[in-house]
Amino acid sequence: MDLFARHQRRLRLYIQAMLPSPADVDEVLQETNVVIWKKFDQFDPDAPGSDFLSWAIRIAQFQTLDYRRRLGRRLASLSPEVMEQVAATLTREEPLLERRRDALRTCLGKLADDDRELIERCYADDGNVLDVASRLERKATSVYRSLRRIRRLLGECIDRQVAGE
Amino acid sequence: MQNAHPDNPSELDTLIDAVIEGAATHADYARLDTLLDGDTTAQSHYLRRVDLHNTLRWTIESEATRRAIGELRAAGVGPDGVTRDDAAHGPVATIGRFAWVVGLAAMIAFGALIAVNVTSIPTPSPDDAGDGGGPIVATTQTRAPTPGTTRPDASPQATQTTPPTPATQPAQPDGPRIIDDAVATLREATGVIITADQTALRRNDPIGIEALTLAADARAVVAFDDGATLRVQGPTELAIRGAHHAELIRGRVVLSTTHTPGGFKLDAPGATFTDAGTELGVDVDATGRLRASVFRGEIKADVADRYVGITQHVTLTRDDGLDIAPDGYITTAIIADAGRFAALREPTSSRAPTIANASFEYPHTDHAQLAASGWTLMSHPVANAVGMHVNAGVIGAERAAVDVAGTTPTPPNGEQWAYLNAKTFEDGRLAHASMHQAVGEIAEDVTYRLSLTVGRLAHADRLHGSLYTVGLYTGSLESGPRLPLQVWRDPVMPPPGGASTATMTFHSPLHTPFRGQTLFIVIEAVPGAKPGMRQVLIDDVKLDIVNDRDVARAPATPATRSPLR
C-alpha cells in the first residue's frame, strides 16, 4: 500500500504525458491501479533489479496502449514507440523530478501576487479555466496565455533552484 | 534543453502547452512524436513540463484541502465531508480530481482488506457482508459524519480528539447505516461503492444528499422513495442532490421514473434531463462526451450550448438519442444508439410499457391532419361518407398562435395537441376518428397506470352524451387492437377552453390469458346524439407499471386546468 500511494503521482505523470485530457488520465490511472492491485502478488520486491516504479509504469504503459486501442482514432496520443522511450526516460529521471517537485513550493512563493492568485484559481478550481475566465471577466485565451507564461517562469525558477543545490 | 523565452516559446513548448491544456490534436501528437523520438533531452523537457503541471495541481489542491480542513477544525467540525466552493457542482460535489485520486487509493485499500484477509482485522459477521455481493468491511467508524449525516458512534468529543483519519481506506459502521436525510436506498450493490466521506456502502444502506463513487467493476441500483431508480455502472461519480434530483458527474446510469409530479431531474455535464414516467440512459465518458438514449416515454432536456451560451430545449422520445461532443457539438435525433446501456436495463424492462411521442410534438407542424409519429389514426367506419377525411391529427403551435378567437387551451406538454374529431350527419350517419399505439407486452399481476390530459376548444358546443373514450386493448401488431381490457368513457371532462388530466389504473391479474400479447392504448372520439362536429384534444399520455404504494398515491380526482392561449 505504501508503494502504491508513493507512486500515484509518478504514474499520473506518465499517463498524463501520454494522453491529452485529464479525464482520459483519470480513466487510465484507475484502470492501471486496478491491474496493479490484481497483479501485485506477481511483483517481487526482493528480486534482483526489482523496481516497483518501473513495473507500475510498464502496466500504465500497457493500459494506455489498451485505452488508445479501444478509443481508436478518436484519441490523439503519442505512438507506442515513443511511449516506450518516454517511459524509460521517466524511470531514469524520477530522482531529478522529485527534486524539482520540492523546488516548486519555493518558486510558487516567488510569484507575483496576481500570478499566484491566477494559478491557485485555475488549479484549485478543478482546472476549469473557462469558469475562472468568466469570473475574472477575461477571455479564456488570455487566461491560457497567462498560465503558459507563469508555468514557464516557474520552470525557469525550478531550473535555477535545482542547479543551485 | 533550456526553456524558451516565455514570450517566444519553442515549437516543442507550444505542443506541450497543448497537451497540458487537453487541446492537442492528432496532428500535434504526430509532430510531438517526431520531436521526441530518439531525443532524450526533448523527452526530459517534456516530462518536466508535464510534471510541473501535475505537481501544481497536486500542490494547490492539497493546500486548498488543508485550508478547508483547518477552517472546519476551527469551527469545531470534523474533517470529513469537506466541500469545495464549486459553483458548477454545488456543495455536495466533494469528489474533485484530488478527491478522486484519494478516493481511488481508498478503494484500493479497501480492496486490500477484502483480498488479503488480514488476521488482525475482526472478521465481519455474515450480516455485515450483506447478500448483494457488497463489500465486506471490518473498520470502525471513528470520524465525524458528513454534514446532515449522523452515526451512533459519532460525537463532538471524538471529532475534536481524534486526528483526521488518512483517506486510505473507506470506513464503514459496524451496524446498519443511519442517516437523517435519506432520500433513497441502495437496493443493489456490487463492488466498491463509497461516499464522499469514504464510507463504503452496502446493499440496503440508506442514501442521503451526498456524492457516490463506484469503482470500475461496481454496480448499484439507487431506489428513490418516489419509485424512481438509478441503475449505475462503475466507474461512475454521481451526486444525489435531492429526493427527485441527481447529478451524473462522470460514468453511466439508466434512470427509470414513475409519474412523479414535477418529474425527476438528472443533471449531466452539458445537459439537464427532466423525466417523468420514462426510462433514460445517460453516459458521460472519459472525454466528457455525453450520450443519452430514451427507452421508454419522453423526456425534456435543457442542453447548454458551450459556445453560443444559449440553452436549447430538446424533447427526446422513445428510441431517440442525444450526443454532446467534448467540443460542445450537439447531435440530436439519434436512433438506435442504446446498446451501451444494455447491461443496465431493468430486467423487467420488457414488461414496462413504452409510449412514443406522448406529447405529440412529432412532427412539429401547423398543419392539421398530419398523424403524430408513433400513433396510428383510424376513421370509423371506414369510407362511410363520400369525401370524408381521417379527421384527426395534431394542432401545431403556429395554428394556435393565430387562433384569434383564443379558443385553444395551452397544451401541458410541448406546443402541440393531438386532436380527434367525431361527426353526426343530418341523415343520422356517424363518423369518428381514433388513434392507437402498441406500447409493449401485457404483463401479469401488475397494475398499469394511465394518465392523459384532455382539452376542449372554447367555442365547443354543449355536449350531448359522451365525448371520448380511452382504453387499454389487447391485440397483435398485425391486426391492431382487438379486445378491450378496460375502457374508460369520459374519465374527465374539461370545460370549454380548458384542459383536465385524468389518471386511471388497470390491474392485469395473475395468470391472465393475455400475457405476452401486445398492449395497446386506444383513444377514440365519440359522435354526439345530435348533428354536428365535435373535437377532443389529447396531450401528455403516460403509461407505466406501478406498485401498490404508487397506486395508493395516485391522485384520486383529476386536476383541471383552464388557461387559454
Side-chain angles (χ1 to χ4, degrees):
Chain A
M1 183 51 56
D2 183 47
L3 274 176
F4 173 83
R6 206 165 355 121
H7 290 296
Q8 277 300 293
R9 265 204 297 186
R10 295 156 177 95
L11 284 176
R12 172 173 273 281
L13 164 62
Y14 174 74
I15 299 165
Q16 168 95 50
M18 300 301 122
L19 297 174
S21 84
D24 291 324
V25 176
D26 285 341
E27 187 85 3
V28 175
L29 178 62
Q30 186 183 19
E31 290 171 1
T32 301
N33 285 328
V34 170
V35 174
I36 286 173
W37 187 255
K38 283 181 180 168
K39 294 179 179 283
F40 193 73
D41 55 353
Q42 296 175 18
F43 174 69
D44 179 5
D46 300 325
S50 181
D51 173 12
F52 179 81
L53 181 62
S54 303
W55 181 74
I57 284 180
R58 192 81 183 149
I59 290 174
Q61 193 179 342
F62 285 131
Q63 290 304 312
T64 308
L65 285 169
D66 183 57
Y67 187 75
R68 189 172 178 269
R69 183 183 52 73
R70 274 185 280 140
L71 264 67
R73 290 185 54 80
R74 280 179 294 154
L75 181 72
S77 71
L78 294 174
S79 68
E81 297 74 25
V82 173
M83 280 190 196
E84 179 90 36
Q85 295 174 28
V86 172
T89 304
L90 173 58
T91 310
R92 198 171 54 245
E93 289 257 319
E94 180 51 34
L96 175 62
L97 288 172
E98 196 58 48
R99 282 160 53 206
R100 294 179 65 85
R101 287 171 199 136
D102 291 341
L104 172 63
R105 203 171 289 274
T106 308
C107 291
L108 274 172
K110 293 181 178 178
L111 281 179
D113 289 347
D114 286 353
D115 288 350
R116 165 84 191 191
E117 188 184 338
L118 185 65
I119 283 279
E120 282 186 352
R121 278 174 182 260
C122 291
Y123 280 89
D125 196 14
D126 220 6
N128 193 333
V129 173
L130 295 180
D131 283 351
V132 174
S134 167
R135 263 178 260 154
L136 296 176
E137 297 182 341
R138 289 175 60 180
K139 288 184 176 175
T141 48
S142 157
V143 174
Y144 275 121
R145 207 161 36 237
S146 297
L147 286 174
R148 287 173 209 150
R149 176 182 56 78
I150 299 166
R151 280 196 301 261
R152 288 197 182 97
L153 289 174
L154 286 170
E156 288 175 348
C157 172
I158 292 170
D159 287 344
R160 286 193 299 272
Q161 290 282 322
V162 173
E165 282 176 358
Chain B
M1 175 177 288
Q2 293 298 309
N3 281 342
H5 190 276
D7 294 332
N8 186 23
S10 68
E11 182 187 15
L12 179 59
D13 278 318
T14 304
L15 291 168
I16 294 171
D17 283 327
V19 169
I20 287 171
E21 290 157 12
T25 62
H26 285 86
D28 290 337
Y29 269 105
R31 181 64 187 145
L32 192 56
D33 224 59
T34 307
L35 294 175
L36 296 181
D37 194 7
D39 185 343
T40 53
T41 310
Q43 289 168 17
S44 296
H45 181 68
Y46 176 59
L47 285 169
R48 289 173 197 178
R49 292 278 325 273
V50 175
D51 190 53
L52 170 62
H53 171 67
N54 274 336
T55 310
L56 272 172
R57 181 193 296 161
W58 199 284
T59 303
I60 289 174
E61 287 190 341
S62 300
E63 283 178 6
T65 306
R66 242 192 324 270
R67 271 200 302 272
I69 290 174
E71 287 167 11
L72 283 173
R73 275 184 182 159
V77 182
D80 287 347
V82 175
T83 59
R84 280 183 288 111
D85 180 18
D86 188 330
H89 289 158
V92 300
T94 54
I95 302 182
R97 285 181 188 152
F98 175 71
W100 171 252
V101 172
V102 173
L104 190 65
M107 278 190 260
I108 297 291
F110 183 57
L113 291 179
I114 301 170
V116 302
N117 190 22
V118 178
T119 52
S120 60
I121 295 175
T123 306
S125 70
D127 288 342
D128 287 337
D131 54 356
I136 300 168
V137 173
T139 58
T140 304
Q141 177 71 33
T142 57
R143 295 177 296 167
T146 303
T149 303
T150 57
R151 294 179 194 288
D153 56 349
S155 67
Q157 288 75 17
T159 302
Q160 294 293 339
T161 56
T162 308
T165 308
T168 53
Q169 54 190 42
Q172 190 167 28
D174 292 332
R177 187 177 196 228
I178 300 171
I179 57 175
D180 282 341
D181 59 349
V183 294
T185 305
L186 196 60
R187 200 172 68 199
E188 292 174 26
T190 307
V192 178
I193 302 161
I194 60 169
T195 64
D197 65 352
Q198 309 303 323
T199 300
L201 296 181
R202 294 181 302 213
R203 187 179 178 188
N204 294 327
D205 272 347
I207 297 173
I209 298 174
E210 57 190 330
L212 306 178
T213 300
L214 278 77
D217 56 350
R219 298 279 191 283
V221 177
V222 179
F224 289 83
D225 293 345
D226 68 353
T229 59
L230 266 174
R231 304 181 77 84
V232 193
Q233 179 179 357
T236 286
E237 293 175 59
L238 179 73
I240 306 299
R241 298 208 169 280
H244 315 284
H245 187 188
E247 180 182 1
L248 174 64
I249 297 162
R250 198 175 67 145
R252 182 173 295 172
V253 301
V254 165
L255 170 66
S256 304
T257 64
T258 55
H259 295 163
T260 309
F264 191 99
K265 192 162 94 170
L266 177 66
D267 292 325
T272 295
F273 301 93
T274 309
D275 184 358
T278 64
E279 189 177 3
L280 159 78
V282 183
D283 177 86
V284 178
D285 72 12
T287 66
R289 182 180 182 183
L290 180 147
R291 280 170 289 196
S293 293
V294 178
F295 314 123
R296 175 166 59 89
E298 201 170 66
I299 61 143
K300 306 284 181 196
D302 293 333
V303 180
D305 189 308
R306 296 177 193 176
Y307 293 105
V308 182
I310 300 170
T311 299
Q312 295 187 33
H313 305 288
V314 179
T315 301
L316 300 171
T317 191
R318 186 179 73 186
D319 299 329
D320 208 348
L322 170 74
D323 187 328
I324 306 176
D327 62 2
Y329 193 84
I330 299 167
T331 308
T332 55
I334 300 168
I335 305 299
D337 189 37
R340 68 178 50 81
F341 300 102
L344 279 178
R345 298 291 306 280
E346 292 267 9
T348 56
S349 283
S350 63
R351 290 165 23 126
T354 62
I355 304 181
N357 199 16
S359 65
F360 304 99
E361 296 299 295
Y362 301 85
H364 194 76
T365 177
D366 61 339
H367 300 290
Q369 296 176 353
L370 271 178
S373 301
W375 295 88
T376 301
L377 298 183
M378 292 188 73
S379 155
H380 309 272
V382 177
N384 73 329
V386 176
M388 181 181 171
H389 300 292
V390 176
N391 222 338
V394 291
I395 296 178
E398 291 82 356
R399 172 174 158 170
V402 297
D403 180 6
V404 292
T407 60
T408 309
T410 305
N413 191 347
E415 296 183 327
Q416 299 191 151
W417 290 96
Y419 75 91
L420 297 169
N421 286 357
K423 187 171 183 179
T424 302
F425 292 84
E426 291 289 349
D427 60 8
R429 283 178 301 144
L430 304 173
H432 69 279
S434 71
M435 62 182 176
H436 65 260
Q437 182 177 154
V439 293
E441 290 183 0
I442 295 173
E444 61 179 357
D445 197 25
V446 297
T447 298
Y448 291 99
R449 180 169 55 188
L450 171 64
S451 75
L452 77 170
T453 300
V454 182
R456 286 175 71 197
L457 301 183
H459 57 62
D461 291 336
R462 186 162 167 266
L463 283 175
H464 301 282
S466 179
L467 176 65
Y468 69 101
T469 64
V470 182
L472 292 175
Y473 281 62
T474 179
S476 67
L477 291 174
E478 294 77 22
S479 63
R482 284 292 177 211
L483 191 65
L485 297 168
Q486 183 155 349
V487 175
W488 295 269
R489 183 173 290 268
D490 298 327
V492 68
M493 184 60 75
S500 301
T501 300
T503 302
M504 300 142 279
T505 57
F506 166 71
H507 185 74
S508 175
L510 190 64
H511 308 306
T512 173
F514 305 117
R515 191 183 76 165
Q517 293 188 17
T518 304
L519 177 67
F520 287 87
I521 293 176
V522 180
I523 306 168
E524 201 163 11
V526 177
K530 294 184 177 179
M533 177 82 87
R534 59 219 320 232
Q535 184 173 73
V536 60
L537 307 174
I538 305 291
D539 197 14
D540 204 20
V541 183
K542 294 169 181 168
L543 178 68
D544 63 1
I545 291 176
V546 293
N547 57 35
D548 291 341
R549 185 189 60 174
D550 292 327
V551 172
R553 259 201 246 168
T557 53
T560 299
R561 310 160 56 248
S562 58
L564 292 179
R565 217 175 244 287

